[in-house]
Amino acid sequence: MARYGMVIDLNKCVGCGACVMACITENRREQALKAIEEGLQALENFKKRTYITTHILGTYPNVGIVYMHMICQHCENPPCVSVCPTGASYKTRDGIVLVDKAKCIGCEYCVQACPYGARFWDPYVRAIDKCTFCVHRLAKGQEPACVSTCPTGARVFGNLDDPGSEVSRLVASGAAVALKKEEGTSPKVFYVFPMRRRR
Amino acid sequence: MIEVQHAWDIRIVLDLTFGGMGVAAFIIAFLYYLRGEKEFNVKAALAGMISLLIGLLILVTHLGKPEAALYTVLSPNLSSVMAWGVFFNILALVFGGLFALPGLVKLPYAGNERVMRLLGALGSAFSFLVMAYTGTLLARTSIHLWRSPVTPLLFILVALSSGVGLCALVAVALKKDVPRELVDFSMITTFLAFVTMTLYFAVADISTEAFRYSVHLMLSELAGATAALYLLGFIAPFAVYFYNRKKPSRTNLVVLAVLLILQSLLARFLVVYAGAIELPW
């Protein structure tokens, strides 16, 4: 039994957005096509399982740019699971947090409970949607679509319980850190933050 | 990045307001039922249950997939406040409804005092749990303004205020007297709600960024609602209360009752709409 996790190295990210597009193509293609048909308003409101925000740091001439990645953190103690009234949100034995769309009633309590804003209501499938770590690809022995697409290898995926895996080594090195530790959620997505550039 | 919550809208505010008001009115009506006045208080309890039902119907319209709502009963997640809330609401409606229905139709057990008292007691117990649940629901989220012990307390206090308001409206409609101590009680809950609400502002400086942002929202974009809450929800009820003590009239009581209900609506509106979350992106 694995304990899947991800490390996102922000030093390596070039902000190309390939991970975002790969995720949409892999998981939300039908919904995206419907949004395209519906027009600009629907496209503007189209929610993504993962997205990138751009942050400009410093002042001229010492300016840097950082691309931050939003994705479900697949917490060890997921608040979205504990608040879900029907048990539609659940954690698999591999530690992946998923949504049983048939059981989801659309109360959006999990949206309010998630400290990372990783969940959203999908009007096309009428259920809450979020990153699944591409669980269907994992079943076939493949990596999540965003990981296999990233041209710079910024996203690393693997078993956190395997000391030999790259994710484990990155986490053990202390270079990769979890976000919002104070929430007590124990996220399984870690970030390597940009190093300060030397003059 | 701080993001204002958009998942819950006015329908949640209305559900919490009607629900809180209904269960509080039921508890008050049952307590007065025990003191002797039977017929009127059964009708007041019925008004409470109708209010609770209206709140639940509004909630259903907010659900993205209401047809799946049965899963809250079929496969409840007992660690969820909402799942408990569903049971409390259902049980309050069942026992409270059975207690209050004789106010509408003749039922065989209506003359049996022991049965009525048992139904009323069970209805009141679950009603109190519903009243506490409305605030706890918000407190179990990642929104720092809501995630405070103050939120359930505030929601209980404004529920009690609005419950008195609903009972007073029923009394005026049925040409009955509104007990003096009940009106006095609503002033105590109003004062405590005022103090509790003000605590949000008082502790903002030493709170998280998201909490401060929520308080900033209350004083900027939502300043109209904040002013309305303090003027119409807190100050005006006291003004009407003291005026009514000098010159008692039914009109004063109706105005007071409406203001008490408005207090609950505005307080919940403000807290829900000022909810903001701090995202790490």
Side-chain angles (χ1 to χ4, degrees):
Chain A
M1 196 164 52
R3 192 169 68 93
Y4 290 119
M6 186 183 280
V7 171
I8 303 174
D9 188 342
L10 303 182
N11 292 290
K12 290 183 178 175
C13 177
V14 293
C16 65
C19 51
V20 180
M21 295 314 293
C23 175
I24 294 172
T25 310
E26 183 71 30
N27 298 299
R28 290 176 52 78
R29 183 167 29 198
E30 295 303 315
Q31 292 96 313
L33 289 171
K34 280 180 190 166
I36 291 167
E37 275 176 25
E38 286 171 18
L40 196 60
Q41 190 67 48
L43 277 173
E44 279 179 0
N45 293 335
F46 188 75
K47 301 276 178 60
K48 302 169 190 82
R49 289 182 178 186
T50 183
Y51 61 80
I52 298 169
T53 54
T54 306
H55 300 266
I56 297 168
L57 306 175
T59 51
Y60 179 84
N62 298 313
V63 183
I65 194 161
V66 176
Y67 299 103
M68 191 62 191
H69 293 228
M70 190 294 294
I71 188 170
C72 171
Q73 307 286 298
H74 293 278
C75 306
E76 208 68 75
N77 308 311
C80 54
V81 170
S82 65
V83 301
C84 178
T86 63
S89 289
Y90 65 100
K91 198 171 82 170
T92 67
R93 287 197 294 178
D94 292 333
I96 302 173
V97 178
L98 298 175
V99 178
D100 180 344
K101 294 193 186 320
K103 276 186 172 182
C104 177
I105 61 171
C107 64
E108 299 185 72
Y109 200 12
C110 56
V111 175
Q112 306 287 32
C114 175
Y116 305 95
R119 292 175 159 242
F120 57 90
W121 171 253
D122 183 343
Y124 300 105
V125 293
R126 296 180 70 231
I128 291 295
D129 200 25
K130 62 176 281 299
C131 163
T132 61
F133 270 166
C134 285
V135 69
H136 58 289
R137 286 172 63 95
L138 296 181
K140 290 187 264 181
Q142 299 171 321
E143 287 187 315
C146 58
V147 175
S148 61
T149 304
C150 181
T152 61
R155 290 191 180 203
V156 181
F157 182 82
N159 182 1
L160 289 166
D161 280 346
D162 174 8
S165 70
E166 197 180 349
V167 279
S168 271
R169 284 193 287 107
L170 281 166
V171 173
S173 73
V177 295
L179 297 176
K180 288 191 141 189
K181 280 183 185 169
E182 70 278 8
E183 295 284 340
T185 51
S186 303
K188 290 201 291 292
V189 174
F190 300 84
Y191 292 80
V192 179
F193 281 98
M195 289 176 286
R196 288 182 68 178
R197 189 173 294 174
R198 289 184 184 177
R199 289 189 185 184
Chain B
M1 185 175 72
I2 293 183
E3 206 174 83
V4 179
Q5 73 84 18
H6 294 293
W8 287 355
D9 57 20
I10 191 70
R11 288 169 293 181
I12 294 291
V13 176
L14 290 172
D15 162 50
L16 298 176
T17 306
F18 278 105
M21 176 169 72
V23 292
F26 181 88
I27 294 169
I28 292 164
F30 177 63
L31 291 175
Y32 276 99
Y33 174 92
L34 292 177
R35 288 177 64 174
E37 173 64 67
K38 308 283 180 201
E39 200 183 325
F40 161 69
N41 285 305
V42 168
K43 285 178 179 160
L46 182 66
M49 285 298 106
I50 290 169
S51 177
L52 175 61
L53 192 60
I54 290 170
L56 288 173
L57 291 175
I58 294 170
L59 175 67
V60 170
T61 67
H62 177 265
L63 295 179
K65 205 161 64 183
E67 68 271 22
L70 202 60
Y71 282 110
T72 53
V73 183
L74 294 178
S75 63
N77 171 17
L78 297 181
S79 67
S80 168
V81 172
M82 194 181 272
W84 284 100
V86 168
F87 284 111
F88 296 155
N89 272 291
I90 291 171
L91 293 169
L93 266 179
V94 169
F95 292 116
L98 286 171
F99 173 82
L101 267 178
L104 194 67
V105 288
K106 277 194 173 181
L107 290 167
Y109 61 83
N112 188 330
E113 188 59 18
R114 285 180 67 182
V115 172
M116 285 296 278
R117 281 179 178 231
L118 179 67
L119 289 173
L122 287 169
S124 295
F126 289 112
S127 289
F128 181 79
L129 291 170
V130 171
M131 197 159 56
Y133 149 79
T134 59
T136 313
L137 179 79
L138 265 65
R140 267 294 260 133
T141 62
S142 289
I143 291 170
H144 289 187
L145 182 78
W146 301 354
R147 193 201 275 177
S148 154
V150 160
T151 309
L153 181 64
L154 174 70
F155 279 26
I156 287 174
L157 291 168
V158 294
L160 288 169
S161 291
S162 60
V164 173
L166 182 59
C167 284
L169 284 180
V170 176
V172 171
L174 298 177
K175 295 187 170 56
K176 295 276 181 186
D177 287 334
V178 181
R180 169 81 178 270
E181 71 271 13
L182 191 58
V183 181
D184 292 346
F185 174 70
S186 74
M187 290 302 103
I188 295 170
T189 57
T190 297
F191 177 72
L192 291 175
F194 162 76
V195 172
T196 312
M197 185 73 208
T198 308
L199 280 175
Y200 282 123
F201 299 99
V203 301
D205 278 357
I206 52 164
S207 298
T208 61
E209 203 177 334
F211 192 106
R212 282 200 297 276
Y213 187 80
S214 291
V215 170
H216 166 74
L217 269 182
M218 287 189 198
L219 298 172
S220 53
E221 281 176 43
L222 300 168
T226 309
L229 172 63
Y230 276 81
L231 290 172
L232 299 175
F234 296 143
I235 297 170
F238 273 102
V240 176
Y241 169 78
F242 287 117
Y243 183 73
N244 188 56
R245 285 185 76 163
K246 277 187 180 175
K247 290 183 181 177
S249 77
R250 288 191 172 273
T251 312
N252 289 345
L253 284 175
V254 170
V255 173
L256 180 62
V258 171
L259 289 172
L260 290 173
I261 292 169
L262 208 56
Q263 175 196 111
S264 177
L265 178 69
L266 286 168
R268 292 172 200 268
F269 172 86
L270 206 55
V271 171
V272 169
Y273 274 81
I277 183 169
E278 189 179 354
L279 299 174
W281 326 118

